[in-house]
Amino acid sequence: MAGVTTELAPPRSDGAGGLHVLVVDDSVFARAMIAKWVEEARLGTVATAADGEQALKKLAVFPADVVTLDLEMPVLSGYEAVPRILAMRPDIRIVVVSGQSEAAARKTFRALDLGAVDFVSKPGPGDKDAFRHQIVERVRALGERHGSRQARDAAAVLPSSAPAVAKPPVRVPEPRGERPAILAIGASTGGPDALARLLKAIGPRINVPVVLCQHMPAKFTSILAANLTRQTGLECREGEDGEQLLPGRVYVAPGDRHMLVRRKGATHHIHLSSDPPEHFCRPSVDPMFRSLAEAYGPRVLALVLTGMGTDGAKGAAALSAAGASIAVQDEESSVVWGMPGAVVKAGVATTVLPVEALAELVRKSCVA
């Protein structure tokens, strides 16, 4: 790619935020652009590298909290660098910067499987502002989460005269209200791993439809559905416009479309919408949840998993007003506690649980 440099750029600081961010890209323009955005957002100190090998050398001297990592680079590619970065710095948070082709999507999922926590697709024509927002907010959210975990871990090793107290076992509440007729799930950053663990633990005996919104662009969601089928044994696929919902199937909102549910007599069907993005996302959790409140009323069990931002909170409020139950992933097990935390802050979360306990709640509520 044109504009490749072999020099390790020195760190730059704006003197504001406390994060350390490493931007890795073989394009001089892309490196400069992302570094400038992070600096303008006053997130902290930025360093850059032109490939995976340079990134490893930089990490030996630069205490990065977050790495933005291009996948397609010479010398050492992004997805080849992921395991080596994490072997050196297991606590670091890696955001992959991906192309939009199907081949790029497959490499992105490979990087996520290897330990990257999130990705951002490179922009198409007219998408630069959304790309900037996604980069900056992911760095901000992951950096804040990294800092809070470091503080918690440091506190845990301080000497104390008090005896250690074992954590009490997680208590999963008994289902309340009407038995759910559908399970709805919203997720973003850290979602693919959480979804795989959740659905595998729920198991194949679930006897209601499952509708799932994971923030992802087109060409990525079909791969997500295929991966979830392989990982969980459940039938997972992208929802199709007009398709009738059937028990035991998992319908993934396709990239670049909102997935809604409409009632037609005694049956329920998918409606795909090209309405404007919400929270910079299409698909978005809020419109899906709002449609379920109208279509099912109280007979919805909604789960909000790990993710940055507040998507899902307003939709969860609509579900709560309709009498539905909303359970969210707990902060400790979330990669980012933005979306679940927003539901809790809105006062509409029925319960807060780790992923495995959420699966038990679903089994109690939705398994024959």
Side-chain angles (χ1 to χ4, degrees), residues 37-63:
W37 291 343
V38 173
E39 290 173 340
E40 288 178 345
R42 301 181 66 79
L43 297 181
T45 304
V46 184
T48 62
D51 58 53
E53 285 287 359
Q54 289 191 16
L56 294 170
K57 293 176 182 177
K58 178 64 71 171
L59 288 171
V61 296
F62 180 70

Side-chain angles (χ1 to χ4, degrees), residues 9 25 31 71 79 87 91 112 138 145 159 166 199 257 364:
D25 200 300
R31 284 201 308 277
L71 281 184
Y79 74 93
D91 61 333
L112 293 173
R138 277 165 173 76
R145 182 65 170 144
L199 293 174
R257 305 292 296 276
K364 286 183 175 184

Side-chain angles (χ1 to χ4, degrees), residues 149-166:
R149 279 183 169 165
Q150 281 190 320
R152 183 192 64 207
D153 293 344
V157 299
L158 290 175
S160 172
S161 58
V165 178

Side-chain angles (χ1 to χ4, degrees), residues 4-368:
V4 176
T5 179
T6 59
E7 295 184 7
L8 288 174
R12 307 196 302 259
S13 175
D14 69 354
L19 299 181
H20 291 78
V21 182
L22 178 61
V23 177
V24 187
D25 200 300
D26 63 321
S27 163
V28 173
F29 173 76
R31 284 201 308 277
M33 180 176 65
I34 294 173
K36 180 182 178 183
W37 291 343
V38 173
E39 290 173 340
E40 288 178 345
R42 301 181 66 79
L43 297 181
T45 304
V46 184
T48 62
D51 58 53
E53 285 287 359
Q54 289 191 16
L56 294 170
K57 293 176 182 177
K58 178 64 71 171
L59 288 171
V61 296
F62 180 70
D65 304 302
V66 180
V67 174
T68 69
L69 185 67
D70 185 26
L71 281 184
E72 301 290 346
M73 296 183 293
V75 185
L76 186 68
S77 69
Y79 74 93
E80 291 172 324
V82 169
R84 293 179 61 178
I85 290 172
L86 292 174
M88 177 185 291
R89 291 280 309 281
D91 61 333
I92 211 161
R93 317 300 263 174
I94 301 174
V95 179
V96 167
V97 180
S98 167
Q100 296 189 6
S101 68
E102 183 174 337
R106 295 190 182 281
K107 288 182 179 180
T108 299
F109 276 98
R110 175 64 176 153
L112 293 173
D113 288 342
L114 291 170
V117 296
D118 205 355
F119 74 95
V120 179
S121 291
K122 293 179 180 178
D127 294 338
K128 184 177 176 181
D129 288 344
F131 180 61
R132 174 177 182 160
H133 173 84
Q134 291 168 6
I135 285 281
V136 168
E137 291 310 309
R138 277 165 173 76
V139 170
R140 189 195 312 277
L142 291 170
E144 289 174 351
R145 182 65 170 144
H146 181 271
S148 67
R149 279 183 169 165
Q150 281 190 320
R152 183 192 64 207
D153 293 344
V157 299
L158 290 175
S160 172
S161 58
V165 178
K167 287 185 178 181
V170 176
R171 179 182 176 275
V172 178
E174 295 300 317
R176 67 176 182 85
E178 295 189 55
R179 183 177 180 82
I182 190 167
L183 173 65
I185 308 171
S188 184
T189 306
D193 176 67
L195 288 166
R197 291 189 288 124
L198 174 76
L199 293 174
K200 185 175 182 179
I202 290 171
R205 294 178 56 209
I206 185 166
N207 63 346
V208 299
V210 181
V211 289
L212 186 164
C213 177
Q214 164 73 47
H215 293 164
M216 280 185 176
K219 298 181 182 176
F220 284 72
T221 46
S222 61
I223 299 174
L224 172 66
N227 284 354
L228 290 175
T229 296
R230 174 177 52 82
Q231 293 166 326
T232 69
L234 294 170
E235 183 180 347
C236 308
R237 65 189 190 196
E238 285 185 311
E240 297 182 2
D241 193 47
E243 183 175 10
Q244 182 179 340
L245 297 180
L246 298 176
R249 294 185 181 176
V250 180
Y251 303 89
V252 177
D256 202 34
R257 305 292 296 276
H258 294 306
M259 187 170 75
L260 315 177
V261 175
R262 301 286 190 236
R263 183 173 181 174
K264 296 182 180 179
T267 60
H268 294 82
H269 299 255
I270 290 172
H271 172 66
L272 299 182
S273 165
S274 296
D275 285 347
E278 297 189 26
H279 308 276
F280 292 89
C281 295
R282 189 172 61 200
S284 171
V285 181
D286 272 339
M288 184 178 79
F289 278 4
R290 291 195 302 265
S291 74
L292 292 170
E294 293 182 12
Y296 283 92
R299 300 196 65 193
V300 181
L301 174 57
L303 309 182
V304 180
L305 305 183
T306 174
M308 57 171 269
T310 62
D311 189 21
K314 291 182 178 178
L319 284 169
S320 179
S325 297
I326 303 100
V328 305
Q329 186 174 351
D330 68 341
E331 183 173 10
E332 185 172 358
S333 68
S334 295
V335 173
V336 177
W337 207 56
M339 287 167 52
V343 176
V344 171
K345 186 176 180 179
V348 295
T350 308
T351 188
V352 181
L353 296 167
V355 168
E356 290 71 18
L358 288 173
E360 183 180 344
L361 175 67
V362 174
R363 291 196 300 271
K364 286 183 175 184
S365 305
C366 304
V367 171

